[in-house]
């Protein structure tokens, strides 16, 4: 959840970008639709049972804020069909509104076909549907879909719009993290991306595989220390290791310390604890390769992904991302010598998104 923003030149306040560049993209994804943790990690989380279910962990021996059980029927059988040879899967979540024809899922999947040598990667995308209609639509356009069931003890309706930071919204984002925990406990690495994103090139070429987690940033400055970058969990890669399994358990357990906060806010709050206590290596990703409407660069020869962050409203996301997709098609249709002309290619300014989020240069 990010902090500062700029578009080749400026930056807005940390607080505004935090809410808009990080929180709102994740919030809209699902809109479609104490300090002491105890004596050891073993007291923080409960182990997975053979039935493939898990319960939310507790902290400091406190009763969980809500009793909840999440089931992942069929996931262990599905993952081998989606994973790459190194057991990596690409995960993106949708619901009916994001999956309907002409919406974000179509833009997301289409971008693999139009990108440079990445068409094969779409075969490793697992679309996680948050409702039945989203699942049905996914199956019509993509071979690898998974219906994530809402815990029966909650009243959250995955299909309806959720107010940002509402009780149902929080249940949805934390359920997403529970799903990711299950993936790495089954022994699979994953690259998670929000679905309000399009792909241009292979992002794995710019992900530091020595790190336990590589995470996008809203406003990247090389002069900053890694943990000082405003991290945005709209895109992150995580290995399946003992450290990352404990990391996600710790992350989920920290929810009890920061009640009423969403997953990204909590991650930013505890990222230094993850490094010092668990020895986790977290690597920020540069916006020149992993851009977003909060901060992007006009380096068409480097960009790998573009995220519709700093944007409020599904229609605004679809409109401005469609412009970006058209820009990319125009660029790739040019002869190689034309592409080499520096300064001739610029992304269409995401007017609707930046207006919706009141993004502005200082």
């Amino acid at each position: 959840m990010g902090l500062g923003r700029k578009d080749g030149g400026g930056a807005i306040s940390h607080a505004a970008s935090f809410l808009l560049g990080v929180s709102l993209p994740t919030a809209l994804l699902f809109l479609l639709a104490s300090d002491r943790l105890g004596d050891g990690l073993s007291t923080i989380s409960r182990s997975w049972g053979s039935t493939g279910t898990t319960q939310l962990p507790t902290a400091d021996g406190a009763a969980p804020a809500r009793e909840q059980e999440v089931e992942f029927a069929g996931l262990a059988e599905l993952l081998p069909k989606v994973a790459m040879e190194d057991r990596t899967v690409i995960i993106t979540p949708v619901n009916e509104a994001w999956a309907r024809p002409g919406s974000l899922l179509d833009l997301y999947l289409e971008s693999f076909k139009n990108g440079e040598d990445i068409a094969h990667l779409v075969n490793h995308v697992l679309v996680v549907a948050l409702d039945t209609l989203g699942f049905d639509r996914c199956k019509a356009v993509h071979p690898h879909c998974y219906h994530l069931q809402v815990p029966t003890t909650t009243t959250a309706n995955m299909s309806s719009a959720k107010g940002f930071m509402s009780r149902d919204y929080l249940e949805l984002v934390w359920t997403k993290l529970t799903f990711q925990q299950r993936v790495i406990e089954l022994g699979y690495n994953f690259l998670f991306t929000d679905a309000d994103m399009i792909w241009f090139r292979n992002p794995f070429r710019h992900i530091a595989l020595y790190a336990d987690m590589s995470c996008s940033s809203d406003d990247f400055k090389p002069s900053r220390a890694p943990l000082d970058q405003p991290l945005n969990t709209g895109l992150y890669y995580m290995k399946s290791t003992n450290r990352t399994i404990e990391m996600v358990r710790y992350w989920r357990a920290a929810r009890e310390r920061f009640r009423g906060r969403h997953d990204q806010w909590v991650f930013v709050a505890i990222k230094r604890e993850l490094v010092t206590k668990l020895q986790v290596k977290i690597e920020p990703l540069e916006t020149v390769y992993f851009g977003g409407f909060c901060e992007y660069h006009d380096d068409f020869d480097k960009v790998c992904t573009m995220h519709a962050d700093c944007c409020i409203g599904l229609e605004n996301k679809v409109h401005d991302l469609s412009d970006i997709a058209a820009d990319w098609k125009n660029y790739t249709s040019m002869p190689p010598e034309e592409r080499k002309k520096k300064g001739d290619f610029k992304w269409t300014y995401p007017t609707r998104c930046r207006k919706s989020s009141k993004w502005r240069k200082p």
Side-chain angles (χ1 to χ4, degrees):
M1 304 41 197
L3 303 179
R5 312 274 183 285
K6 71 174 183 179
D7 176 23
I12 63 173
S13 70
H14 289 287
S17 62
F18 177 89
L19 290 174
L20 297 174
V22 181
S23 303
L24 288 174
T26 303
L28 289 168
L29 171 60
F30 294 103
L31 286 178
L32 322 178
S34 289
D35 289 339
R36 199 173 156 198
L37 286 175
D39 295 331
L41 287 172
S42 62
T43 67
I44 295 175
S45 61
R46 301 178 184 177
S47 62
W48 291 84
S50 58
T51 58
T53 65
T54 188
Q55 291 182 312
L56 288 178
T58 62
D60 268 347
R66 58 208 50 78
E67 289 297 331
Q68 179 181 111
E69 193 171 78
V70 182
E71 298 185 7
F72 301 103
L75 181 60
E77 294 74 26
L78 179 58
L79 287 173
K81 301 175 183 178
V82 188
M84 305 175 195
E85 291 184 0
D86 66 349
R87 297 175 67 86
T88 297
V89 296
I90 301 165
I91 300 172
T92 194
V94 300
N95 78 345
E96 184 274 332
W98 285 46
R100 66 176 58 139
S103 193
L104 294 173
L105 180 60
D106 282 354
L107 284 171
Y108 185 90
L109 296 176
E110 182 78 6
S111 69
F112 287 87
K113 183 176 71 175
N114 297 326
E116 289 190 350
D117 301 320
I118 59 171
H120 65 287
L121 291 178
V122 76
N123 298 319
H124 305 292
V125 173
L126 178 59
V127 178
V128 180
L130 306 175
D131 58 23
T132 300
L133 291 175
F135 182 58
D136 290 342
R137 166 62 180 161
C138 176
K139 289 189 296 182
V141 297
H142 187 64
H144 305 305
C145 307
Y146 186 80
H147 188 186
L148 180 59
Q149 301 290 336
V150 185
T152 57
T153 53
T154 72
T155 59
N157 181 342
M158 295 277 190
S159 300
S160 64
K162 302 301 172 195
F164 178 57
M165 298 305 296
S166 68
R167 178 178 178 180
D168 283 355
Y169 162 75
L170 293 174
E171 292 300 336
L172 298 183
V173 297
W174 285 103
T175 298
K176 175 198 72 174
L177 187 60
T178 309
F179 176 84
Q180 294 168 358
Q181 177 181 325
R182 184 59 176 157
V183 170
I184 58 174
E185 290 205 341
L186 286 169
Y188 291 88
N189 318 311
F190 69 82
L191 176 65
F192 172 83
T193 77
D194 285 337
D196 55 341
M197 184 177 295
I198 53 180
W199 291 49
F200 309 107
R201 293 185 176 86
N202 189 340
F204 292 101
R205 297 174 180 172
H206 302 283
I207 290 176
L209 297 183
Y210 65 82
D212 297 294
M213 178 184 186
S214 296
C215 187
S216 62
S217 175
D218 287 331
D219 171 18
F220 183 89
K221 289 182 173 58
S223 59
R224 289 194 186 114
L227 291 184
D228 290 336
Q229 303 291 352
L231 300 179
N232 183 327
T233 58
L235 180 153
Y236 60 96
Y237 169 84
M238 191 174 289
K239 290 180 181 179
S240 175
T241 66
N242 290 335
R243 275 197 307 273
T244 56
I245 290 171
E246 295 302 333
M247 172 184 176
V248 178
R249 290 175 175 172
Y250 191 105
W251 185 356
R252 291 180 58 231
R255 179 185 185 184
E256 291 300 310
R257 290 191 285 150
F258 303 100
R259 297 194 180 191
R261 299 291 188 174
H262 54 72
D263 59 331
Q264 184 171 294
W265 194 99
V266 173
F267 173 77
V268 172
I270 68 169
K271 60 185 179 181
R272 297 183 191 279
E273 296 176 30
L274 296 171
V275 171
T276 58
K277 294 184 178 182
L278 303 184
Q279 305 302 307
V280 169
K281 298 179 179 64
I282 300 175
E283 185 74 16
L285 298 170
E286 298 184 37
T287 52
V288 69
Y289 302 111
F290 302 89
F293 292 163
C294 296
E295 175 176 274
Y296 62 84
H297 302 264
D298 292 313
D299 292 329
F300 280 63
D301 57 339
K302 294 181 180 180
V303 63
C304 294
T305 61
M306 184 71 77
H307 185 195
D309 51 10
C310 279
C311 188
I312 302 174
L314 175 59
E315 291 184 359
N316 294 328
K317 287 176 178 284
V318 171
H319 180 274
D320 286 359
L321 277 180
S322 295
D323 283 346
I324 296 297
D327 293 340
W328 176 254
K329 283 186 177 180
N330 290 336
Y331 170 74
T332 55
S333 68
M334 295 284 185
E337 58 272 17
E338 290 295 319
R339 294 196 204 180
K340 294 179 182 179
K341 294 182 179 180
K342 301 296 183 182
D344 289 351
F345 301 99
K346 293 185 181 297
W347 299 111
T348 299
Y349 189 82
T351 303
R352 288 194 183 185
C353 280
R354 288 190 164 174
K355 184 178 180 180
S356 72
S357 64
K358 295 180 171 55
W359 184 99
R360 66 186 185 278
K361 292 183 178 180

